[in-house]
Amino acid sequence: MIENKAPGKDVSLEDIKTKFPLAAKKDPLHFSEFDIAGIKFGPDSAPIFAGPNMVESEELIDDCAKNLKSKGASFLRGGAFKPLTFPYRSDKYNETRELGIEWLYKAKNKYDIPVITEIMEEKFLPIISEAADILQIGTRNMQNYPLLTACARSGKPIMIKRGFGCSLRDWLGAAEYILLEGNTKVILCERGVVAPHTHRETSRFLLDLQVIPAAKEITHLPVVTDPSHATFWRPWVRSMAMASIAAGADGVMLEVHPDPPNAAVDPLQSIDFEEFSKLIHDLSRIGKIVNRKTVGEKIV
Ligand code: PEP
Ligand code: MN
């Protein structure tokens, strides 16, 4: 038999042994179980990450922290440093950067909710680490290997969003860079991939639900999804979040804003507090079927 030395796209047995031995499962039942700021990751739980796309103002993030914590979110999400697709800015559409990080820090302490936020440049690691319980590596930086290594060395837990054009093989390779630094708290997040057809003129990505069981066949790392970025379309977030939990996702990231149509970034994909509340209830019902004991902070 001729061995395929360069499969390129899909994972070979050889890859599992030599390319990402740390990310690979040691046996079929191997599953990473860890705790981040008191929130459990593992086969029994499905933490929920919720919040606005961007930390627009102190009031917004305070409002989100208060409401989302009380409705069962495990982590408050929100970007202060944002990889915005185009360079033009307005007062509304403007990264809040260091100030945003300070507001996240205040909200986290005031409402006792841990925070996940994106990091794009190593030089901001000390500031972002003050507020962040989890460092988010965005889809565009999944293969920024020096950034991965620097973040890994900080010892902070890391969520690595799948590059929208990347294979499972690429994604596990990126995770391996983090694990190689001895940082074991790594979460994989599927956030939609590019595909020739996305079903709707506003959509850009396709949520790869199939990558959940595929990744879990190979790795012990938790796999979560972000149906907000994947669908780019509010009415589809609910079904894709439920499908994620049904497919075995270990958590879900949701964009939630008190006034979605007026969100500064990605207003078409955010849900409001009321929709979030209904959704977390429905996710708990799905969770029960797939043996999750908690979904967000709700006991199911
Ligand atoms: C985000 O979660 O705010 C974000 C920018 O996501 P992604 O990197 O998946 O586009
Ligand atoms: Mn976005």
Side-chain angles (χ1 to χ4, degrees):
M1 195 180 91
I2 300 168
E3 232 185 276
N4 184 357
K5 291 275 186 207
K9 183 163 160 282
D10 296 317
V11 177
S12 70
L13 283 176
E14 187 60 20
D15 290 335
I16 295 173
K17 276 192 258 155
T18 64
K19 304 283 197 295
F20 29 79
L22 301 174
K25 290 179 146 177
K26 306 286 171 273
D27 60 70
L29 296 178
H30 182 195
F31 195 100
S32 276
E33 289 190 56
F34 51 76
D35 192 292
I36 300 174
I39 308 291
K40 276 202 167 67
F41 286 79
D44 290 347
S45 57
I48 303 294
F49 311 81
N53 185 304
M54 181 155 81
V55 182
E56 298 171 34
S57 66
E58 184 165 10
E59 295 68 39
L60 173 80
I61 209 66
D62 184 280
D63 193 21
C64 286
K66 179 171 68 190
N67 279 284
L68 296 172
K69 164 94 184 184
S70 75
K71 293 181 191 322
S74 322
F75 289 87
L76 176 66
R77 65 141 283 144
F81 292 90
K82 293 282 314 162
L84 298 168
T85 305
F86 304 104
Y88 305 110
R89 302 288 184 265
S90 63
D91 282 347
K92 185 174 175 190
Y93 188 75
N94 205 359
E95 293 168 273
T96 50
R97 301 173 73 87
E98 290 91 337
L99 260 182
I101 297 294
E102 203 180 305
W103 299 332
L104 278 170
Y105 182 76
K106 280 196 196 161
K108 154 190 160 127
N109 291 320
K110 184 164 166 195
Y111 299 106
D112 189 27
I113 181 165
V115 158
I116 174 164
T117 194
E118 179 159 357
I119 176 156
M120 295 194 295
E121 292 173 84
E122 184 186 343
K123 68 179 178 195
F124 294 114
L125 194 45
I127 295 171
I128 294 175
S129 296
E130 297 255 326
D133 294 279
I134 305 177
L135 300 172
Q136 178 174 322
I137 305 283
T139 189
R140 293 161 183 81
N141 274 312
M142 187 202 89
Q143 291 178 303
N144 182 342
Y145 302 118
L147 179 66
L148 297 182
T149 300
C151 290
R153 287 185 181 157
S154 76
K156 283 270 170 186
I158 296 176
M159 174 188 280
I160 179 153
K161 296 188 96 175
R162 180 181 176 191
F164 50 70
C166 291
S167 64
L168 172 57
R169 186 172 185 264
D170 299 327
W171 200 14
L172 294 174
E176 191 78 4
Y177 269 88
I178 300 166
L179 297 167
L180 189 60
E181 300 304 321
N183 189 332
T184 54
K185 294 188 177 178
V186 181
I187 302 153
L188 301 170
C189 179
E190 157 60 28
R191 49 77 70 212
V193 291
V194 286
H197 309 287
T198 52
H199 317 301
R200 208 177 180 282
E201 62 185 344
T202 54
S203 59
R204 291 192 288 176
F205 306 108
L206 204 62
L207 182 66
D208 182 5
L209 284 171
Q210 201 166 308
V211 87
I212 303 168
K216 284 164 157 286
E217 231 169 56
I218 298 166
T219 184
H220 52 89
L221 299 172
V223 181
V224 310
T225 70
D226 172 352
S228 308
H229 274 87
T231 61
F232 203 60
W233 186 237
R234 182 165 30 262
W236 294 356
V237 169
R238 182 175 178 280
S239 57
M240 290 300 100
M242 304 235 289
S244 298
I245 295 292
D250 301 301
V252 177
M253 176 176 270
L254 295 163
E255 253 175 52
V256 190
H257 191 285
D259 181 15
N262 285 307
V265 181
D266 295 348
L268 299 179
Q269 73 196 26
S270 256
I271 57 171
D272 64 18
F273 296 144
E274 201 188 319
E275 288 172 87
F276 175 76
S277 197
K278 277 192 239 149
L279 179 53
I280 201 161
H281 174 76
D282 288 341
L283 292 178
S284 307
R285 289 166 58 209
I286 303 279
K288 204 180 184 94
I289 298 168
V290 293
N291 297 321
R292 301 272 167 190
K293 295 200 177 82
T294 55
V295 171
E297 291 315 281
K298 288 201 182 302
I299 301 189
V300 307

